[in-house]
Amino acid sequence: MEEMINKLVENIYGNFVEDGEFTDFKETNKAFDEVSKYFKSEAKCVDISEELEKNTFALGAAFEKQGFIYGFKKAMEIFEREAV
């Protein structure tokens, strides 16, 4: 059952992102710009800035997906408990 629920939530997340319902908040864009600017301005990061930026934002995306999935599952738990 847990595996089925996980697949369902993954599907919901995928549809949410693919359908374009997902847009960044102003705070997210600001943070992205600040990190990118830092990577490109720091002498020690210049040679690796693209790789560093790519990996940093991949990590952020993984945390975001994880947060969505845990949050969605928790919301469904609460809904199920409160709806009865």
Side-chain angles (χ1 to χ4, degrees), residues 1 10 13-14 18 26 30-32 39 53 55 57-58 75:
M1 183 68 149
E10 283 276 346
Y13 177 82
E18 289 170 15
K26 290 178 187 175
K30 182 180 178 193
F32 175 85
F39 286 158
E53 190 173 296
N55 290 327
F57 295 123

Side-chain angles (χ1 to χ4, degrees), residues 15-60:
N15 287 337
F16 181 72
V17 172
E18 289 170 15
D19 290 346
E21 294 177 37
F22 176 86
T23 57
D24 289 328
F25 295 147
K26 290 178 187 175
E27 296 88 353
T28 306
N29 289 326
K30 182 180 178 193
F32 175 85
D33 291 343
E34 288 174 10
V35 171
S36 292
K37 185 176 161 184
Y38 174 79
F39 286 158
K40 291 177 174 125
S41 69
E42 282 296 308
K44 60 187 171 211
C45 295
V46 170
D47 292 340
I48 60 168
S49 66
E50 266 187 55
E51 192 67 23
L52 191 56
E53 190 173 296
K54 181 180 97 177
N55 290 327
T56 300
F57 295 123
L59 175 63

